[in-house]
Amino acid sequence: MNTRPSDSPQFGAPVPNWTPPATPEGAVMTGRYAALEPLNAEKHAALLFRAYEGEDHVWDYLPYGPFSSSAQYHRWVHSVTDKSDPVFFAVRNLATGHFDGVLSLLRIDPAAGSIEVGHINFSPALQRTPVATEALFLTMQWAFEAGYRRFEWKCDALNVPSRRAGQRLGLSYEGTFRQATVYKGRNRDTAWFAAIDKEWPALKEAFRVWLDPSNFNEEGHQIERLSDLTALVRVATDPTL
């Protein structure tokens, strides 16, 4: 009988028949409350600038902005929409027809099956609404159904609302990278969260229950909290929350 010494190498589980998934360029995602379409300067920039106008705080944790004019914002949108990574999307509220925010898919690594959602900038009209939650769910759904194995969320470790949002979505805390980068002349420690493909079926069901109209009363208040529905899926909890 062949035996290995106790210090022999250990290897990860096989990934049979692995095929790298497609990239998200040109993707359109539509749900009950929200729709995502590729960001376009001519179509979206002026509308989004109005949604953000006077709300400079929405740019606090982004490496760009705020923008002083619609023309300046238009130039920025134009500069980022010819890239293959990040891939930016405009978020439309299906009830109002308004474009109220932006997000992107980035750090797109089909060979590893890994993708991240980021550059999230939701106007006050979009924040803390089912539209915002569904917009993020749609990116997760697209990624896992396209064949990605890992869906990431990262943020400035001091951005407590973003840490809370990532965990609420069912992403597990994976640690904090100290002095990960510098932006706007400031240090950034980066908190990492992620979900993996084997967690997706349970997360999808949690979102289905939460997004169902029956989960909201006549005043539009949630009956079951999404964080409660996703808590059993997460394998690690952010210790700062």
Side-chain angles (χ1 to χ4, degrees), residues 63-188:
Y64 42 79
F67 298 92
S68 60
S69 68
S70 181
Q72 187 184 44
Y73 183 64
H74 184 283
R75 287 193 296 273
W76 177 82
V77 172
H78 190 270
S79 74
V80 300
T81 51
D82 62 351
K83 301 179 185 298
S84 60
D85 189 349
V87 176
F88 279 85
F89 297 88
V91 180
R92 180 161 59 95
N93 182 328
L94 290 176
T96 66
H98 296 163
F99 289 96
D100 288 326
V102 166
L103 53 72
S104 78
L105 290 170
L106 68 155
R107 290 172 55 91
I108 303 163
D109 188 350
S114 178
I115 197 166
E116 178 184 341
V117 64
H119 294 280
I120 300 164
N121 192 0
F122 291 168
S123 71
L126 187 57
Q127 294 172 15
R128 302 177 67 84
T129 67
V131 183
T133 297
E134 187 177 54
L136 294 163
F137 161 72
L138 288 171
T139 63
M140 195 185 305
Q141 177 176 256
W142 182 90
F144 285 124
E145 294 186 356
Y148 285 85
R149 307 170 61 234
R150 175 177 170 83
F151 183 85
E152 298 178 338
W153 173 291
K154 302 184 185 74
C155 63
D156 189 313
L158 296 175
N159 188 351
V160 175
S162 186
R163 296 179 75 142
R164 187 177 293 117
Q167 181 162 286
R168 173 178 175 266
L169 294 173
L171 307 183
S172 296
Y173 175 72
E174 294 187 335
T176 296
F177 283 33
R178 299 174 299 160
Q179 296 189 10
T181 190
V182 175
Y183 73 112
K184 293 181 176 177
R186 305 184 299 243
N187 173 66
R188 170 170 144 161

